[in-house]
Amino acid sequence: MSRKGKLTLERKLSLTGWAFLLPATLLILIFSFYPMVQAILLSLKAGRGAQAHYALTNFTRLLQDQTFRQCLFNTIFYFIVQVPIMLILALVLAVLLNNPRLKGKAIFRTMIFLPCATSLVSYSMIFQSLFSTNGFINVLLTGLGLEPVRWLEQAWPARIVIVIALIWRWTGYNMVFYLAGLQNIESSVYEAATIDGASPVQQFFKITVPLLKPTILLTAIMSTAGTLQLFDESMNLTSGGPGKATMTIAHYIFETSFVMTPNFNYSAAMSVFILVSVAILSAIQMKIGDKRD
């Protein structure tokens, strides 16, 4: 009887757990996986209406589309430049703000985190004002005896503005993850290292980074996915310009779906390209970063 009661209790606990998981699981299936499958099927269709048939023409078109190649270059540029700078800066700030002897830590943490809670439209308008022809940045450059830069009217300066905006907006977000990880590391580890003569730099590379490796891996994967799907800054900050010099793949998907003559099959093919790219890069990062014995 006791064994039967124990099994019954375990089953009840299991059913209770599934009852809590089921609503979230259903929502993910309905609003994430089902649209994903439909997008894959749509990307494989060519033609419209009764003439629609399955083919790979949408994917072969990607290789020939000059605008897509430009958007791909822009997206890769943002990923290669912005993500490492942002994550390193977030880690350094987290270490500095985790110092127990630092006064006013809460204020500094809040100030650094606030940008990611700022309205996208508001911060886009601020950056447009800062980097305009007569904006504060050019006034500062002129005051230093340098030539003003047409930040939003030239391709490379406009890309740099987007990188700066992304770093400003998302560094604090990643810093919070690192702070949470640092607070789970026992202070006695650092005290023992200090007694053994380890410098702060040695402690950072020999203790902090190895123990934070799972958190670093998590933020790297999230930042990779977010950058490859980057849309807001390209849309609101530069409108993809000048020309299409700063347009991302996600922005181009929006253009081909709702601005130009709608071509949902081709847009779905670009979406599948992003999906596969995120999956491959995430798998590589997990393979490299998650080396557990």
Side-chain angles (χ1 to χ4, degrees), residues 185-186 189-190 192-194 198 202-212:
I185 301 176
E186 292 292 337
V189 178
Y190 292 102
T194 302
Q202 290 175 324
Q203 293 179 28
F204 177 79
F205 286 105
K206 298 295 184 180
I207 298 176
T208 303
V209 174
L211 292 179
L212 279 183

Side-chain angles (χ1 to χ4, degrees), residues 228-278:
L228 293 182
Q229 300 175 73
L230 185 63
F231 171 78
D232 296 329
E233 282 73 14
S234 173
M235 180 69 179
N236 293 282
L237 188 54
T238 63
S239 299
K244 299 186 185 301
T246 60
M247 183 178 286
T248 61
I249 298 176
H251 188 177
Y252 187 39
I253 292 172
F254 173 80
E255 294 278 333
T256 56
S257 298
F258 305 110
V259 178
M260 300 184 292
T261 303
N263 190 337
F264 294 110
N265 296 346
Y266 186 51
S267 299
M270 288 189 282
S271 301
V272 171
F273 176 84
I274 294 178
L275 171 66
V276 174
S277 300
V278 170

